[in-house]
Amino acid sequence: MRRQAVITAVDGKRIEAVALLSEVCVHCPSDCGRRGKPFLVVNRHRLPLQVGDTVRVYHSRLVRGISGITALCGPVLCALLGYLLAPHFARAVGLPLAEPFRALCVLAGIVLPAAAIFIVNRSNLHLFKPEITQVL
């Protein structure tokens, strides 16, 4: 997630922001770095905000902790499941259970969740609202 954003709408409790593409975009007069999709943010610290303000946004410590544990343990657990479920997969596709097939299941168990985590982290999909920590 980008750490800096520009506030695009403030309507009571609903606050929308657009992520800045890079650190240089903060002081640049053009709007080329502000072309992202707006996302909702939370103002838990009740900072005074106006449209056009540049803010620093982060997810809460709980969300970051769960995300980190998932990113580390998810692929490992899926690889273990791939190893244990390889006989079932082999029967389902009609192949004999051999070590190369089991290794392929383990590799898929590592690569597929890691790719999914990478895509979610790099996308503009915000499962949890980030919170505003500072107005720049």
Side-chain angles (χ1 to χ4, degrees), residues 78 81-95 97 101 105-106 108:
C78 288
L81 280 174
Y83 180 80
L84 295 175
L85 295 176
H88 175 70
F89 294 146
R91 277 193 306 269
V93 296
L95 292 174
L97 180 63
F101 184 78
C105 290
V106 170

Side-chain angles (χ1 to χ4, degrees), residues 59-77 113-114 117 120-121 128:
H59 285 292
S60 68
R61 288 184 183 199
L62 177 66
V63 170
R64 284 184 287 173
I66 291 171
S67 175
I69 289 171
T70 303
L72 286 174
C73 298
V76 173
L77 292 175
I117 290 168
V120 168
N121 283 338
F128 300 98

Side-chain angles (χ1 to χ4, degrees), residues 4 10 12 15 23 29 35 41-42 46-47 53 89 91 97 108 120 128 134:
Q4 293 181 348
V10 179
I15 303 169
E23 304 292 326
R35 289 189 191 146
V41 293
V42 177
R46 301 194 195 291
L47 299 169
D53 284 348
F89 294 146
R91 277 193 306 269
L97 180 63
V120 168
F128 300 98
Q134 181 182 14

Side-chain angles (χ1 to χ4, degrees), residues 7-71:
I7 302 297
T8 57
V10 179
D11 299 325
K13 293 192 176 211
R14 182 181 163 102
I15 303 169
E16 287 185 354
V18 174
L20 293 176
L21 296 178
S22 71
E23 304 292 326
V24 178
C25 296
V26 175
H27 302 294
C28 181
S30 69
D31 287 339
C32 62
R34 298 181 178 118
R35 289 189 191 146
K37 269 181 139 178
F39 57 92
L40 297 176
V41 293
V42 177
N43 188 8
R44 286 204 172 96
H45 302 292
R46 301 194 195 291
L47 299 169
L49 297 174
Q50 297 176 0
V51 174
D53 284 348
T54 303
V55 294
R56 189 163 298 217
V57 291
Y58 287 104
H59 285 292
S60 68
R61 288 184 183 199
L62 177 66
V63 170
R64 284 184 287 173
I66 291 171
S67 175
I69 289 171
T70 303

